[in-house]
Structures are given as C-alpha cells and as structure tokens.
Amino acid sequence: MSESVVIIPTYNEKENIEKIVKAVFSQPIDCDILVIDDGSPDGTGDIVKRLAASEWQGRLHLLERSGKQGLGTAYITGFKWALKNGYDYIFEMDADFSHDPDDLPRLLHAVKDEGYDVSVGSRYVTGVNVVNWPIGRVLMSYFASCYVRIVTGFDVRDTTAGFVCWSRRVLETIPLDKVRFKGYAFQIEMKFTAYKIGFKIKEVPVIFVNRCEGTSKMSGGIFSEALFGVLRLRLDGWFRHYPKISDSEKH
C-alpha cells in the first residue's frame, strides 16, 4: 500500500478519467487513487473498473454511489475510506485537469517535509492564477475568498480551493460526521475547522486551468451556499467547541 491516496470525485467524466489517472500515476510520489463515482450514466465507473483490473490493480480503487450526492459527502466518504485503509497523506483533486497533477509533489512536500498539516493548491496566494475562466466567474471566486477572510478572520486566500493535501492526523481530529456543507462551503468549512483546531496550513501557488473536456458542475446554488454558510461558520467560531491539539502535537 502507498503512503498517500488521491481522492477524485466523478460524475460524467468519461473524457477525462483515464487521462487523469495516468497523469497522477506518472508523478514521482508514492500514491494510490480512489475514484468516487456518483452513478455516472456516461460509463465513467466502467472505465475505472477496466483500468483497476489491468494496469493498476491494487493501486486504483473505485467507490460507486447511487446518484449525485454532493461533493462534500463524496470527500467525507473518501476521507473515511482513506483513514480506514491506513494512508498518511490524503489529497483532494478534480478529474478535469483544472488541477495540474504536476503540482501533487509540491503539495505533498509541504505536509510531509516542511511540517505543515494541510497544504492548499492556491489560485490567489500570488495574485490571480486562473486560465480560461470567464471574467465574471474569476471575480466571483476571488471576491468570495476575500469575503471569507473578512467575515471569519481566517487568513487563507483561496478558501474554496479543491486541490488539497491533508495529513492523516487532521482528518482523524476533525469530526467528519459533523461537517454540514456539501458544495463550495464544504471546502471552506474543512479549512476553517482545521484552522480553529490549531493545525498549520500552507498555501502552495498553483495555476488553475478551466476544463477543456466534459461539463462543469458549477452552479449559482453552490456559491450561495458558500456565501451564506460563511456567516454560520463565523457564529460557530464564537460558540462551537472545537477539538484541541496539545502543544506537544503541534509542529
């Protein structure tokens, strides 16, 4: 078994899934892949099964769920699977090449070698590093992250980023069953919770490239959840009891 696992949620990603699997496995890191497919009618899951039975038996894994249940629940399912199977480093990553597999070693290095608990592939830590997005979507995403920082006081510039490396102990400490959001707000909630517990987070600059193939899953409702969810997270920050790590556990 590898020391790390890359979790890739999918829904109708037949154009991308084989290419992204090959690109991840070409990286110079010790990793497995877990694909969580929400019943893709286009046959994404069947492609993964074929690959898992041939080239990457024992390294490529598939969990199939019935219907679209949300990005957050997919990752929670994946996190629990990864912890159960003993991985030390757990990645979140999209299937559509908006996240560059070449950046995986840098995210892993920040957690494994530099002493951070979480590394975030950040579009905004060195400006705005987004390619092929409509300007309206760029502005919405960028100012959403600014809004999160203002409301919560949480100094991560790309709080909605979905390209993340978690150390095992972070996911063991966060009460995963109490994570309430499913869309972009899920990404904010996970990072904010890690921050409130006392874990160290590093933003690693990456370039985000809009998908070339397949269909975007973005919707206005996802952003609405993020915007209103942040206010709830701010209230949680005042009143909720977060797990604490001792000083001896901090790097």
Side-chain angles (χ1 to χ4, degrees), residues 51-82:
L51 296 173
S54 55
E55 296 178 68
W56 294 290
Q57 193 167 15
R59 294 188 62 198
L60 176 60
H61 307 276
L62 173 67
L63 291 179
E64 293 183 290
R65 308 196 305 169
S66 57
K68 296 179 71 173
Q69 300 179 40
L71 183 71
T73 64
Y75 275 125
I76 294 298
T77 298
F79 292 159
K80 291 180 177 180
W81 183 93

Side-chain angles (χ1 to χ4, degrees), residues 5 7-9 34 36 38 63 65 69-85 90-92 166 170-183 185-187 189-191 193 240:
V5 61
I7 301 174
I8 305 177
L34 171 65
I36 301 178
D38 274 7
L63 291 179
R65 308 196 305 169
Q69 300 179 40
L71 183 71
T73 64
Y75 275 125
I76 294 298
T77 298
F79 292 159
K80 291 180 177 180
W81 183 93
L83 294 176
K84 180 180 177 181
N85 285 277
I90 297 98
F91 291 90
E92 298 180 36
W166 303 90
V170 176
L171 298 182
E172 286 178 328
T173 306
I174 291 177
L176 296 176
D177 288 330
K178 294 183 179 179
V179 175
R180 61 171 68 96
F181 296 116
K182 293 183 178 181
F186 163 81
Q187 301 291 3
E189 182 177 4
M190 286 292 297
K191 297 177 188 71
T193 303
R240 182 176 172 182

Side-chain angles (χ1 to χ4, degrees), residues 116 120 122 124-125 145-159 188 191-192 195-196 199-204 234:
Y116 289 90
V120 177
S122 177
Y124 306 130
V125 70
S145 287
C146 293
Y147 165 79
V148 173
R149 294 204 312 278
I150 292 168
V151 172
T152 65
F154 173 36
D155 191 23
V156 166
R157 292 190 171 271
D158 195 355
T159 51
I188 302 168
K191 297 177 188 71
F192 182 73
Y195 156 76
K196 291 295 289 185
F199 289 116
K200 292 174 61 179
I201 302 172
K202 178 175 183 177
E203 289 190 87
V204 176
R234 179 59 173 173

